[in-house]
Amino acid sequence: MELRQLRYFVKVCELRSMGRAAVELGVVTSALSQQISRLESELSTRLLQRASTGVTPTDAGMAFLHQAQLTLRHAEGAVHAAQQARLSGHVSVGLAPTTASVLGVPLMQAMRERYPDVRLHMVEALSGHLSTMLQARQLDLAVLFQTPTPRRWSVAPLLDEKLFVISAPTLAQRPLGAKVRLSQLADVPLIMPSASHGLRAALTAAFARVRVAPNVVAEVDGLALLMDAVRAGQGATIQPGAATARHSAEDVVRCQITDAHVGRRNLLVSLSDDELSPAALAARVVMADTARRLVRDGLWIGARLLEN
């Protein structure tokens, strides 16, 4: 079995087409098909279901695909280590935008201090997209929110976050005081993520529970633009305290939502231990340590640590 065959197989599975995969790989279709057939012969099992509309992996093919993706990533790491002429590793970490606001730079600093020869790849994306990237072995670790996860993933509870109404100090309809109930927000103009966002779905259910229709005046999928609109007085938003990590008290004010069922759980999720490189295993410990330090130092607003 050759790495070339693994690359061919992964590309065919990604594109669901021999022809399109051949074009991207720069080989003729017949040669690509021949290599896949040799791979199936060596494994004594059918990996792809071929049809006039394209190809799809069989059950055996899906199982093989996950391990092939992992093998290729480890091979890439070995190449980088050899090229740099030193023992080094590579680890990919995914963070949602609000999490990245508070955890991103401290994590990079902690990794640089503890493991200077480990190359860190940081990805900022929505939690659902990070979950997909983990499933595709494009990430080693991620902080995700309460969501069903595959059995072979390693999942550790990290912290719970309170949610806040965040607004410009000049917004006339903003709630006054340090705390507010969800039922008191009916008249507050809200700028929210769209329905595809996990936080929006959770808040929609929470509002329905207290029988209040939120006054959503705009939808923004992107933390930077959303917070710019809030600072400009276009409306308030509901986010965890981490969303304000890059903003001063003069820019925005926070009012904590006290409803017991309103909050967000953060999970430290990774591939299973037997799939993680030593660099990724070390990074997982550093991520947990850094998050705990930020909470204990009062730098992760509205967060409460959870025990494993």
Side-chain angles (χ1 to χ4, degrees):
M1 189 180 303
E2 302 175 5
L3 288 177
R4 175 182 60 171
Q5 293 174 316
L6 300 186
R7 293 191 185 96
Y8 288 179
F9 175 73
V10 168
K11 183 60 68 175
V12 170
C13 289
E14 288 177 355
L15 300 179
R16 301 298 174 100
S17 167
M18 285 281 188
R20 290 170 57 196
V23 170
E24 286 211 12
L25 292 166
V27 299
V28 296
T29 305
S30 59
L32 175 60
S33 179
Q34 185 179 53
Q35 289 297 327
I36 298 297
S37 295
R38 287 180 178 175
L39 189 59
E40 290 178 320
S41 296
E42 183 174 349
L43 297 172
S44 300
T45 188
R46 179 73 67 184
L47 298 175
L48 296 174
Q49 187 69 43
R50 297 161 174 83
S52 58
T53 56
V55 296
T56 56
T58 63
D59 290 343
M62 285 300 299
F64 184 74
L65 173 63
H66 292 157
Q67 297 303 317
Q69 291 169 324
L70 186 65
T71 298
L72 290 173
R73 288 193 66 238
H74 285 174
E76 182 183 356
V79 170
H80 283 300
Q83 290 173 340
Q84 294 171 12
R86 66 173 183 259
L87 288 177
S88 62
H90 174 271
V91 57
S92 294
V93 176
L95 301 175
T98 49
T99 311
S101 296
V102 66
L103 180 60
V105 172
L107 173 61
M108 294 173 69
Q109 292 172 335
M111 285 295 294
R112 180 68 65 85
E113 291 170 2
R114 295 197 205 180
Y115 303 103
D117 290 337
V118 171
R119 185 161 59 92
L120 190 62
H121 174 214
M122 302 285 287
V123 176
E124 181 179 312
L126 295 180
S127 180
H129 185 50
L130 296 177
S131 180
T132 300
M133 293 182 71
L134 264 175
Q135 186 67 29
R137 271 59 177 179
Q138 295 171 333
L139 293 174
D140 296 301
L141 316 164
V143 176
L144 303 180
F145 310 124
Q146 191 66 60
T147 181
T149 54
R151 288 183 187 176
R152 283 187 56 78
W153 284 1
S154 173
V155 181
L158 188 60
L159 55 88
D160 277 341
E161 290 181 285
K162 294 290 187 181
L163 297 185
F164 296 81
V165 179
I166 302 170
S167 65
T170 56
L171 184 69
Q173 303 95 327
R174 71 180 180 87
L176 301 177
K179 297 183 178 181
V180 69
R181 302 280 299 179
L182 208 60
S183 58
Q184 298 172 286
L185 301 180
D187 297 327
V188 178
L190 294 174
I191 305 171
M192 302 286 281
S194 66
S196 62
H197 197 289
L199 181 60
R200 174 66 181 277
L203 285 170
T204 297
F207 272 112
R209 184 171 177 176
V210 296
R211 299 178 182 177
V212 168
N215 177 25
V216 179
V217 297
E219 293 182 334
V220 178
D221 285 334
L223 182 63
L225 179 57
L226 185 150
M227 293 303 295
D228 284 346
V230 168
R231 289 171 55 219
Q234 296 298 306
T237 191
I238 299 177
Q239 291 283 335
T244 65
R246 295 171 179 158
H247 301 274
S248 68
E250 291 77 23
D251 289 335
V252 295
V253 292
R254 297 184 301 268
C255 181
Q256 182 180 316
I257 298 174
T258 58
D259 300 64
H261 63 286
V262 177
R264 186 169 74 174
R265 175 152 295 185
N266 289 241
L267 306 172
L268 179 51
V269 182
S270 70
L271 303 179
S272 60
D273 288 8
D274 60 344
E275 294 184 73
L276 291 179
S277 67
L281 288 168
R284 188 171 65 184
V285 173
V286 175
M287 283 181 71
D289 289 348
T290 304
R292 293 188 186 105
R293 176 177 58 80
L294 290 168
V295 174
R296 289 170 181 150
D297 290 348
L299 300 176
W300 197 317
I301 299 165
R304 178 181 65 87
L305 289 175
L306 297 170
E307 296 299 328
N308 285 344

